[in-house]
Amino acid sequence: MPIPTTPPADAGDRSDSGQIHPQIHRQRFTVAFDYAVAFTRNAFDPANGAFASVMGGAARADGAPCPRCVAFVDLGVLSGHPDLPAAISAHFAGRDDMPALVRAPVVLPGGEAVKNDPALIGQMHDVILGAGIDRHSYVVAVGGGAFLDAVGLAASTAHRGVRLVRVPTTVLAQNDSGVGVKSAINRNGAKNQIGTFAPPWAVVNDSAFLDTLPPRDRLAGMAEAVKVALIRDGAFFDWLERSADALALFEIPAVEHLIRRCAELHMRQIAEGGDPFEQGSARPLDFGHWSAHKLETLTRNHLRHGEAVAIGIALDTRYSVLAGLLPEGEDLRVAVLLEHLGFRLWHPALARRGTDGRPLVLAGLEEFREHLGGRLTITLLAGIGHGVEVNEMDPALVERAIDWLALRELG
């Protein structure tokens, strides 16, 4: 067929200068996302209907065949719950209002190890596809936030997305990442470089998993509650201050309230913030995170995410004071709460400097910008409960904020 020498009539209009102006048809549609977040205890108890309520009813609608299901379990959870795989199998087998669990739960490493090993994503794909899981079937992920991130990436890329049910097992995962819409793994030492935006089908927050958490993991998740209170809910911050003793002792009623309120605030931002899939340049819920992500890398994940976030919160709160955004003394109030809960607000990585003499942690600003692209946008504080966005940070003030943390460490 000969190649046409002139464009077809509908290819666009040519101006007097010879420029072609294409005809553009803009496609636009809206997709509504709706997922349940259940709060319960002992979710795999035979009498507990949490899973049936978020999976079973939809599974058997319109006389459809019983969907299939596979489950992945974080190896770290088994130290406190050695019988968990058997309990999961028994729970699904013992109810007729649930999908069919087609094989024994698959146990894989958790923590940052699972996010640093792309081969594990391939193993998950092999399990999902080998078990005949389709878009009307389910993947259940039981574990901490990093584990849920990795399983979420596998589930969201198998068949372009299968139904994921998250069962977060840590404070951090139950109050933050587990109820969100993101999944990712790390790449070349950088946090969350490969991932997707994919809301879960459902989330089941089971407080029984909190009973056996190691002390560091109990504490680490509370940083996200302090963060979201500082930028969104001053009354919640007041409650955190009043409840600091109970939270430091990990009294379950107080911890359950912290988790639920923190999850509510994160979910509200996703639903009402206007940018659930982060198409813009802002990361409004990531107060304290630009330095936290860099500290995690600099310490080779010796710092837990929540521990790094606590340092980042204190750093950016002090910076907010130095920048004239926040009244003097509010930084001390925030630092005292974090320390009362049990956080240490210093790590030697903050003192490390590059060949140019600048703190290495400052590289986190550019990495933070690059992750979203566009203009740097950082959330700071204009008041307790009132976050504001800025587009630049003064390195000299960052260094002064680091010095403030160092002085607190020295007492």
Side-chain angles (χ1 to χ4, degrees):
M1 177 179 295
I3 299 174
T5 57
T6 58
D10 61 352
D13 300 321
R14 187 183 295 273
S15 68
D16 292 341
S17 65
Q19 297 293 316
I20 296 176
H21 302 288
Q23 295 180 353
I24 298 175
H25 299 268
R26 187 170 299 280
Q27 171 74 299
R28 178 174 296 163
F29 58 88
T30 299
V31 178
F33 291 96
D34 184 345
Y35 56 94
V37 178
F39 293 86
T40 189
R41 188 167 180 85
N42 297 315
F44 294 109
D45 185 291
N48 194 314
F51 282 99
S53 66
V54 300
M55 298 171 72
R60 296 176 182 267
D62 301 324
C66 182
R68 301 163 73 83
C69 178
V70 294
F72 294 97
V73 177
D74 185 333
L75 175 62
V77 179
L78 297 189
S79 61
H81 302 268
D83 298 327
L84 179 59
I88 294 172
S89 295
H91 187 71
F92 277 79
R95 300 186 67 107
D96 60 6
D97 54 357
M98 298 273 284
L101 191 70
V102 296
R103 58 166 295 166
V106 178
V107 179
L108 293 172
E112 288 298 310
V114 73
K115 293 183 65 168
N116 289 329
D117 187 355
L120 291 175
I121 303 299
Q123 291 183 34
M124 294 179 204
H125 280 147
D126 290 344
V127 171
I128 293 169
L129 301 176
I133 300 300
D134 57 30
R135 294 184 190 174
H136 299 279
S137 299
Y138 298 84
V139 170
V140 175
V142 186
F147 189 79
L148 299 184
D149 256 4
V151 179
L153 178 60
S156 67
T157 50
H159 294 302
R160 296 193 177 99
V162 299
R163 297 173 175 178
L164 174 69
V165 178
R166 297 179 182 144
V167 186
T169 58
T170 66
V171 175
L172 181 61
Q174 290 192 7
N175 69 11
D176 183 0
S177 59
V179 301
V181 297
K182 297 187 282 190
S183 66
I185 59 172
N186 306 329
R187 175 74 173 169
N188 294 330
K191 289 276 292 185
N192 301 326
Q193 291 295 294
I194 308 296
T196 59
F197 286 96
W201 179 266
V203 182
V204 178
N205 272 345
D206 182 349
S207 63
F209 285 111
L210 307 180
D211 297 345
T212 56
L213 284 178
R216 285 184 71 185
D217 291 327
R218 289 181 172 188
L219 172 63
M222 295 185 193
E224 295 289 351
V226 177
K227 173 210 74 177
V228 76
L230 282 170
I231 60 177
R232 289 292 183 269
D233 189 346
F236 183 37
F237 186 84
D238 293 342
W239 179 86
L240 291 170
E241 289 184 311
R242 294 194 306 272
S243 306
D245 286 338
L247 292 169
L249 294 171
F250 210 71
E251 296 179 4
I252 289 299
V255 173
E256 287 180 342
H257 178 78
L258 175 147
I259 287 171
R260 185 171 298 205
R261 184 57 184 155
C262 185
E264 288 172 351
L265 290 168
H266 280 94
M267 292 163 64
R268 179 188 298 173
Q269 176 66 37
I270 293 168
E272 302 175 8
D275 190 19
F277 295 160
E278 296 179 358
Q279 298 298 300
S281 297
R283 298 170 69 171
L285 288 182
D286 277 355
F287 174 60
H289 280 56
W290 72 266
S291 58
H293 287 168
K294 190 61 181 176
L295 286 170
E296 288 178 82
T297 302
L298 289 173
T299 64
R300 298 184 180 182
N301 298 117
H302 169 74
L303 279 176
R304 302 277 204 279
H305 177 70
E307 293 168 340
V309 167
I311 294 173
I313 289 170
L315 179 67
D316 281 356
T317 303
R318 177 58 180 169
Y319 182 97
S320 298
V321 171
L322 294 173
L325 297 171
L326 187 68
E328 187 77 44
E330 296 288 62
D331 48 359
L332 182 62
R333 183 181 170 193
V334 172
V336 167
L337 172 61
L338 289 167
E339 290 166 343
H340 192 155
L341 292 175
F343 288 105
R344 184 182 176 190
L345 302 182
W346 176 258
H347 191 280
L350 286 168
R352 291 176 57 189
R353 294 179 179 270
T355 56
D356 59 358
R358 288 159 53 93
L360 290 177
V361 73
L362 279 170
L365 285 169
E366 178 59 17
E367 292 173 9
F368 199 74
R369 185 198 66 77
E370 287 178 353
H371 189 56
L372 284 184
R375 192 178 184 187
L376 176 68
T377 304
I378 298 290
T379 299
L380 295 175
L381 293 182
I384 300 298
H386 183 195
V388 294
E389 293 177 356
V390 302
N391 299 115
E392 61 182 5
M393 292 187 75
D394 183 340
L397 293 187
V398 173
E399 291 202 50
R400 287 175 59 189
I402 292 173
D403 291 342
W404 185 78
L405 293 179
L407 288 173
R408 289 195 62 79
E409 175 72 7
L410 293 174

